[in-house]
Amino acid sequence: MFTYTLPILVIPALMFIFLGLMDNKFKPMTSGILGTIGLGIVAILSYIAAYDYFFSVGLIDGIYQKIIAFNFEWLKITEHLHIDLGILLDPISVMMLVVISTVSLMVHIYSFGYMNGERGFQRYYALLSLFTFSMLGLVVATNIFQMYIFWELVGVSSYSLIGFYYTKKSAIAASKKAFIVTRFADFFFLVGILLVSFYSETFDFISLTNPENNELIMKTAGLSFLGISVLSWGMMLIFMGGVGKSAMLPFHIWLPDAMEGPTPVSALIHAATMVVAGVFLVARLFPVYYLGTPEVLTIIAYIGAITSLFAAIVACTQTDIKRVLAFSTISQIAYMITSLGVSGLAGHEGLGYMASMFHLFTHAFFKALLFLGAGAVIHAVHSNEMSAMGGLNKYLKITNITFLIACLAIAGIPPFSGFFSKDEILVAAFHSDKILFACLYFCAGLTAFYMFRLYFNIFWNDNNKEYEHTPHEAPFVMTFPLIFLATLTCVCGFIPFSHYVSADAMPFETHINWAIASASIGVALIGIGIATKMYFKKSEIPDKVADTVKGLYTSAYHKFYFDEIWVFVTKRIIFEGISRPIAWFDRHVVDGFMNGLSWTTNFVSQKTKNLQSGLVQDYVTIFIGGALVIVLIMILI
Amino acid sequence: MNVPIEAYLIVSTIMFFVGVYGFLARRNLLTILMSLELMLNAVNINFTVFNRYLFPGQLDGFFFTLFIIGIAAAETALAIAIIINIYRNIQNIFVDKVNNLKH
């Protein structure tokens, strides 16, 4: 039935190899067009798959089935334990297929304009294909090991795309930072996988997450390590991988720096798709978290809430527009994580799960739109800094309107998509934990504030700003994705998402909780109001406010010194305190012992090699000496 | 006249160690060969003397002596043939110069 889903993976993979090998043999345009056509086919196939799945075959007896569209046994480890490569279709993976292929297609089209004339245009499209392949492989993974493989592939392609401008020092540093930080977190992920699969004797998602008679939970029952159950350790470690990829505290430090990459890449990887891999991971294993380790789920919720608050505060003070967006991404992903953390499993209890996926869906579109819009702005003024912008509404009409739509969506103003998903998250949090709700609620206000601070600083504020080159609207290939994504942002909030995605795969009804909805609209409007007052026109208020809360402002501006703490921990403690002594021990004691052995052997052989003179008389001398000694001994005894 | 056995043995010992000295100290292959003969002959004397004094009725020792003389003759012929070949190759017969295979 779903055999046509295989090309969804195969096309981008082949495209990567093809474009990567041909590289400069092609004209830039040829590479770009080939890549885009490939992605177009992938997108169409994804849409067909989604349509088939949701409207014709997926729903059987009121439950969305998990369908294995393709499976290939790759490595057999033991009788039960084997690593497969395959395609698993269920509501969230099908939804992710749609999200990834849509955003990726838009980014492909957009990049024609944005990357026009860049050196390495062909390489850029090859890497985009690689990334799309890895991300699609990740979401359709049938087992956790396949997911891990693609998880790392995603990390690699992200690394190469962040470092796309490889002659720029900061880009190289950022790409290394992103790779090492996420790789460090992935180490815990791997340990978690091994731990869990050791007990469950399977990597397979379907048997791992089976809500009834879950073998994993039964087999690990009663086992504990250091006072915490083994399953909690495993699931916590697996979540650590998600913390790294999704840039939660304390592993968020790589994401703001990742903005060194080309802006369309930021839109694709660091806003819409890769960074939600952590959310997707938790959602994928949600039944295990909920049934087996509810305490880990609580930790997840709190990590999300704290991160969300932290990132929102930092976003208010940044001046690089892409960094503001990066922190807003962290904050929004933390929303999704929190929402998963407060969710239940069945029926309306599972609202948080549904809301999280819904927010993932809507966020992917409006955040990609924001990044692409920011890209159009950067394209026009050739700078990332807010101070270099202002009054651009006169020049960039389309960008202005689409950006405004995205800002309204992320701020949670109806009827834009962000409102619906955010409202569901707030409702879920409200019914579960009032502290988390307060945290998220406050964040909603902050989000509205910093997004409109960004918006006004770019498009209004200094209306009569003089530009050296008059900024001009981006070409059609760049505005088309903006318009398309803006349209999606306007309409996709009305999708009855709970009919399609839910924690137990059974459709249910949701209604907008108008009490909480109006409260969230209220706080968003307050945020927008304050931002309008402070930033709509050039004024002294922002500086005054910054002065009154100087301590908070400075530390938020420095991102609460997290980078410095990491540098301190890695450099002072790990490098100088641990690695150096170990290196010394290795060099002097371990190597010294081995060198000593070889030196001794060498010395002894140097000294004794003269015995082998090759002169027959020397040998005879020794022979006679030996014979005399033997005779002497025989005489004496 | 009754020569004591020790007299023979002293002579053969002196001959043997003269042979050993010559074998070790000389570089000339021919002299070494001569030293070798000296040692063999010292052994021959021992064989005959012990046979004559300890087992007068038997001939084993004499036979061994004859064997050794025969083998020594054959060995000398062989050795001289080798020495002549060495001389043709390296134009001398010093034992410490025969080291072509070492390098």
XYZ file of all heavy atoms in Angstrom, chain A residues 232-290:
448
model
N 14.037 4.469 34.663
C 14.155 5.928 34.738
C 15.504 6.388 34.230
O 15.597 7.372 33.502
C 13.986 6.413 36.178
O 12.717 6.101 36.636
N 16.540 5.669 34.630
C 17.870 6.017 34.115
C 17.870 5.983 32.601
O 18.315 6.930 31.947
C 18.922 5.022 34.624
C 19.454 5.324 35.970
C 19.168 4.658 37.118
C 20.363 6.369 36.329
N 19.838 5.222 38.170
C 20.586 6.280 37.718
C 21.009 7.368 35.612
C 21.412 7.141 38.401
C 21.836 8.231 36.291
C 22.034 8.118 37.683
N 17.386 4.877 32.052
C 17.395 4.718 30.598
C 16.626 5.818 29.906
O 17.128 6.457 28.978
N 15.416 6.077 30.384
C 14.586 7.061 29.705
C 15.142 8.467 29.902
O 15.063 9.308 29.020
C 13.145 6.977 30.199
C 12.485 5.646 29.944
S 12.737 5.026 28.276
C 11.620 6.059 27.358
N 15.728 8.708 31.066
C 16.334 10.021 31.318
C 17.513 10.221 30.369
O 17.668 11.289 29.773
C 16.808 10.050 32.779
C 17.113 11.427 33.305
S 15.650 12.453 33.332
C 16.353 14.023 32.872
N 18.330 9.186 30.217
C 19.490 9.303 29.330
C 19.046 9.520 27.891
O 19.637 10.315 27.158
C 20.353 8.049 29.430
C 21.166 7.936 30.712
C 21.756 6.551 30.860
C 22.278 8.962 30.721
N 17.995 8.802 27.484
C 17.493 9.000 26.130
C 17.012 10.438 25.962
O 17.287 11.093 24.963
C 16.374 7.999 25.817
C 16.971 6.608 25.652
C 15.614 8.388 24.556
C 15.970 5.527 25.375
N 16.338 10.936 26.983
C 15.858 12.321 26.900
C 17.026 13.301 26.798
O 16.901 14.344 26.151
C 14.994 12.652 28.117
C 14.543 14.081 28.155
C 13.737 14.583 27.149
C 14.929 14.925 29.168
C 13.330 15.902 27.165
C 14.526 16.250 29.182
C 13.728 16.736 28.183
N 18.166 12.961 27.407
C 19.330 13.845 27.313
C 19.712 14.091 25.855
O 20.141 15.188 25.493
C 20.528 13.229 28.046
C 20.390 13.198 29.536
S 20.648 14.803 30.251
C 22.421 14.787 30.403
N 19.598 13.050 25.029
C 19.859 13.242 23.608
C 18.933 14.301 23.037
O 19.344 15.179 22.285
N 17.660 14.215 23.433
C 16.689 15.204 22.984
C 17.008 16.588 23.505
O 16.832 17.584 22.811
N 17.505 16.657 24.740
C 17.892 17.951 25.304
C 18.972 18.586 24.438
O 18.933 19.784 24.158
C 18.394 17.772 26.756
C 19.061 19.037 27.253
C 17.257 17.412 27.672
N 19.917 17.774 23.990
C 20.990 18.315 23.151
C 20.474 18.817 21.824
O 20.731 19.946 21.432
N 19.723 17.984 21.116
C 19.265 18.384 19.784
C 18.247 19.505 19.852
O 18.204 20.361 18.983
C 18.615 17.199 19.074
C 19.558 16.334 18.274
C 19.882 16.905 16.921
C 20.729 15.920 16.134
N 22.086 15.793 16.678
N 17.395 19.489 20.880
C 16.353 20.500 20.954
C 16.796 21.730 21.725
O 15.992 22.600 22.013
C 15.100 19.928 21.604
O 14.476 19.064 20.706
N 18.073 21.786 22.075
C 18.645 22.981 22.686
C 17.927 23.390 23.966
O 17.620 24.554 24.168
C 18.660 24.139 21.688
N 17.634 22.421 24.834
C 17.103 22.761 26.150
C 18.275 23.095 27.083
O 19.417 22.739 26.808
C 16.341 21.569 26.740
C 15.103 21.150 25.975
S 13.797 22.354 26.089
C 13.896 23.093 24.495
N 17.947 23.727 28.192
C 18.976 23.965 29.200
C 19.542 22.620 29.639
O 18.778 21.678 29.805
C 18.373 24.662 30.421
C 18.152 26.178 30.336
C 17.486 26.634 31.614
C 19.422 26.919 30.111
N 20.778 22.448 29.900
C 21.857 23.428 29.726
C 22.601 23.248 28.403
O 23.692 23.763 28.247
C 22.775 23.080 30.896
C 22.633 21.596 31.024
C 21.244 21.234 30.542
N 22.016 22.510 27.474
C 22.718 22.274 26.205
C 22.268 23.234 25.104
O 22.447 22.953 23.939
C 22.483 20.840 25.723
C 23.135 19.799 26.562
C 22.435 18.717 27.040
C 24.466 19.922 26.884
C 23.055 17.759 27.821
C 25.097 18.973 27.671
C 24.378 17.889 28.134
N 21.658 24.372 25.490
C 21.105 25.247 24.457
C 22.172 26.079 23.783
O 21.904 26.740 22.793
C 20.114 26.202 25.106
C 20.801 27.121 26.055
N 21.185 26.709 27.305
C 21.237 28.384 25.913
C 21.821 27.706 27.895
N 21.873 28.722 27.080
N 23.390 26.080 24.310
C 24.380 27.084 23.897
C 24.744 27.025 22.420
O 25.231 27.996 21.872
C 25.664 26.961 24.731
C 26.128 25.509 24.753
C 25.443 27.453 26.135
C 27.540 25.353 25.219
N 24.516 25.884 21.786
C 24.957 25.806 20.387
C 24.006 26.504 19.443
O 24.410 26.986 18.386
C 25.125 24.356 19.967
C 23.871 23.549 19.944
C 23.335 22.857 20.982
C 22.993 23.364 18.847
N 22.181 22.259 20.597
C 21.940 22.546 19.292
C 22.989 23.810 17.521
C 20.896 22.174 18.463
C 21.957 23.429 16.710
C 20.922 22.618 17.174
N 22.717 26.585 19.810
C 21.731 27.071 18.839
C 21.911 28.539 18.461
O 21.906 28.854 17.270
C 20.310 26.788 19.342
C 19.214 27.068 18.322
C 19.425 26.288 17.052
C 17.849 26.739 18.888
N 22.087 29.458 19.426
C 22.300 30.851 18.996
C 23.517 30.998 18.087
O 23.484 31.745 17.114
C 22.508 31.589 20.313
C 21.844 30.746 21.330
C 22.010 29.340 20.887
N 24.582 30.263 18.383
C 25.774 30.366 17.536
C 25.545 29.770 16.160
O 26.187 30.161 15.191
C 26.963 29.659 18.199
C 27.497 30.462 19.351
O 26.707 31.238 19.916
O 28.684 30.322 19.686
N 24.633 28.793 16.094
C 24.378 28.136 14.809
C 23.819 29.107 13.785
O 23.730 28.792 12.605
C 23.421 26.972 14.990
N 23.440 30.310 14.231
C 22.908 31.313 13.308
C 23.971 31.848 12.369
O 23.688 32.655 11.493
C 22.291 32.473 14.093
C 21.117 32.039 14.925
S 19.858 31.294 13.880
C 19.381 29.890 14.832
N 25.227 31.404 12.541
C 26.284 31.785 11.612
C 26.047 31.180 10.230
O 26.600 31.640 9.247
C 27.641 31.311 12.140
C 28.139 32.068 13.344
C 28.454 33.509 13.006
O 28.681 33.814 11.833
O 28.438 34.331 13.941
N 25.272 30.133 10.169
C 25.001 29.507 8.874
C 24.138 30.406 8.011
O 23.620 31.423 8.461
N 23.970 30.029 6.728
C 23.083 30.796 5.858
C 21.663 30.824 6.449
O 21.236 29.838 7.050
C 23.098 30.013 4.545
C 24.301 29.153 4.605
C 24.568 28.879 6.035
N 20.955 31.932 6.277
C 19.647 32.082 6.919
C 18.626 31.013 6.512
O 17.895 30.522 7.366
C 19.102 33.489 6.646
O 20.112 34.406 6.992
C 17.869 33.764 7.467
N 18.534 30.629 5.230
C 17.559 29.570 4.903
C 17.845 28.282 5.671
O 16.924 27.561 6.053
C 17.745 29.358 3.409
C 18.428 30.549 2.910
C 19.226 31.102 4.026
N 19.134 28.020 5.909
C 19.502 26.842 6.677
C 18.988 26.968 8.105
O 18.446 26.020 8.679
C 21.031 26.650 6.655
C 21.457 25.650 7.702
C 21.471 26.207 5.291
N 19.136 28.162 8.664
C 18.603 28.377 10.012
C 17.113 28.116 10.025
O 16.578 27.532 10.958
C 18.870 29.809 10.473
O 20.224 30.113 10.311
N 16.435 28.558 8.962
C 14.993 28.358 8.904
C 14.653 26.881 8.866
O 13.754 26.418 9.561
C 14.422 29.054 7.665
N 15.394 26.141 8.066
C 15.072 24.723 7.890
C 15.496 23.903 9.102
O 14.705 23.159 9.673
C 15.766 24.192 6.633
C 15.610 22.701 6.365
C 14.160 22.347 6.187
C 16.391 22.300 5.133
N 16.764 24.055 9.477
C 17.330 23.145 10.465
C 17.105 23.647 11.873
O 16.659 22.918 12.743
C 18.830 22.951 10.203
C 19.033 22.425 8.801
C 19.422 22.016 11.228
C 20.444 22.116 8.464
N 17.405 24.926 12.085
C 17.458 25.404 13.458
C 16.177 26.099 13.873
O 16.158 26.836 14.840
C 18.674 26.299 13.619
C 19.918 25.617 13.131
N 20.671 26.062 12.082
C 20.473 24.455 13.522
C 21.654 25.221 11.863
N 21.557 24.242 12.709
N 15.117 25.881 13.124
C 13.840 26.430 13.565
C 12.734 25.415 13.372
O 11.968 25.142 14.284
C 13.525 27.690 12.768
N 12.672 24.825 12.181
C 11.479 24.052 11.867
C 11.645 22.559 12.071
O 10.729 21.894 12.523
C 11.079 24.327 10.423
N 12.795 22.015 11.747
C 12.851 20.555 11.722
C 13.809 19.935 12.725
O 13.378 19.279 13.665
C 13.191 20.058 10.312
O 14.394 20.667 9.911
C 12.100 20.408 9.349
N 15.106 20.161 12.556
C 16.032 19.379 13.375
C 15.836 19.602 14.863
O 15.850 18.650 15.641
C 17.474 19.688 13.015
C 18.432 18.788 13.758
S 20.146 19.172 13.481
C 20.428 20.376 14.722
N 15.652 20.851 15.259
C 15.583 21.117 16.692
C 14.330 20.538 17.340
O 14.284 20.411 18.556
C 15.665 22.629 16.987
C 17.072 23.130 16.804
C 14.707 23.400 16.143
N 13.321 20.179 16.537
C 12.167 19.543 17.164
C 12.364 18.033 17.263
O 11.484 17.320 17.744
C 10.854 19.866 16.432
C 10.562 21.332 16.507
C 10.888 19.388 15.015
N 13.555 17.556 16.841
C 13.810 16.111 16.935
C 13.678 15.621 18.370
O 13.178 14.522 18.610
C 15.194 15.790 16.384
N 14.100 16.452 19.316
C 13.988 16.063 20.725
C 12.538 15.902 21.143
O 12.169 14.950 21.842
N 11.699 16.839 20.693
C 10.273 16.750 20.980
C 9.707 15.478 20.361
O 8.948 14.729 20.981
C 9.529 17.983 20.417
C 8.072 17.936 20.794
C 10.168 19.255 20.894
N 10.115 15.258 19.119
C 9.633 14.078 18.403
C 10.042 12.794 19.128
O 9.255 11.853 19.251
C 10.202 14.081 16.982
C 9.699 12.956 16.139
C 8.440 13.016 15.569
C 10.467 11.829 15.934
C 7.967 11.970 14.808
C 9.996 10.780 15.174
C 8.738 10.856 14.611
N 11.263 12.795 19.640
C 11.765 11.612 20.354
C 10.904 11.305 21.575
O 10.487 10.171 21.799
C 13.213 11.853 20.766
C 13.877 10.791 21.625
C 14.037 9.512 20.844
C 15.228 11.274 22.104
N 10.637 12.346 22.364
C 9.815 12.138 23.563
C 8.413 11.697 23.157
O 7.825 10.792 23.756
C 9.762 13.420 24.415
C 8.870 13.211 25.624
C 11.148 13.801 24.861
N 7.887 12.307 22.093
C 6.545 11.937 21.646
C 6.526 10.489 21.181
O 5.575 9.745 21.445
C 6.109 12.860 20.513
N 7.584 10.076 20.499
C 7.672 8.727 19.983
C 7.654 7.706 21.116
O 7.003 6.667 21.045
C 8.967 8.629 19.162
C 9.234 7.339 18.498
C 8.119 6.808 17.673
N 8.233 7.034 16.262
C 7.175 7.089 15.447
N 5.959 7.017 15.946
N 7.325 7.258 14.173
N 8.392 8.024 22.188
C 8.482 7.081 23.304
C 7.493 7.433 24.410
O 7.637 6.995 25.546
C 9.907 7.082 23.857
C 10.963 6.504 22.920
C 12.351 6.745 23.452
C 10.737 5.016 22.725
N 6.501 8.253 24.069
C 5.649 8.800 25.118
C 4.995 7.748 26.016
O 5.012 7.893 27.247
C 4.578 9.719 24.513
C 3.787 10.432 25.550
C 4.349 11.478 26.246
C 2.502 10.033 25.860
C 3.644 12.123 27.232
C 1.795 10.676 26.849
C 2.356 11.721 27.537
N 4.438 6.650 25.458
C 3.813 5.660 26.350
C 4.774 5.106 27.401
O 4.384 4.870 28.537
C 3.350 4.561 25.391
C 3.193 5.247 24.096
C 4.241 6.298 24.051
N 6.033 4.933 27.032
C 6.999 4.426 28.008
C 7.200 5.447 29.117
O 7.214 5.119 30.299
C 8.346 4.110 27.329
C 9.261 3.408 28.306
C 8.149 3.277 26.099
N 7.343 6.717 28.690
C 7.522 7.763 29.697
C 6.319 7.817 30.626
O 6.454 7.892 31.839
C 7.699 9.128 29.027
C 9.095 9.386 28.531
C 9.363 9.465 27.175
C 10.139 9.558 29.420
C 10.646 9.697 26.718
C 11.427 9.800 28.977
C 11.675 9.867 27.627
O 12.938 10.094 27.193
N 5.151 7.776 30.020
C 3.955 7.988 30.830
C 3.684 6.797 31.749
O 3.411 6.959 32.933
C 2.740 8.241 29.925
C 1.504 8.547 30.713
C 1.377 9.762 31.379
C 0.478 7.624 30.820
C 0.264 10.043 32.126
C -0.645 7.898 31.558
C -0.752 9.114 32.217
O -1.850 9.390 32.962
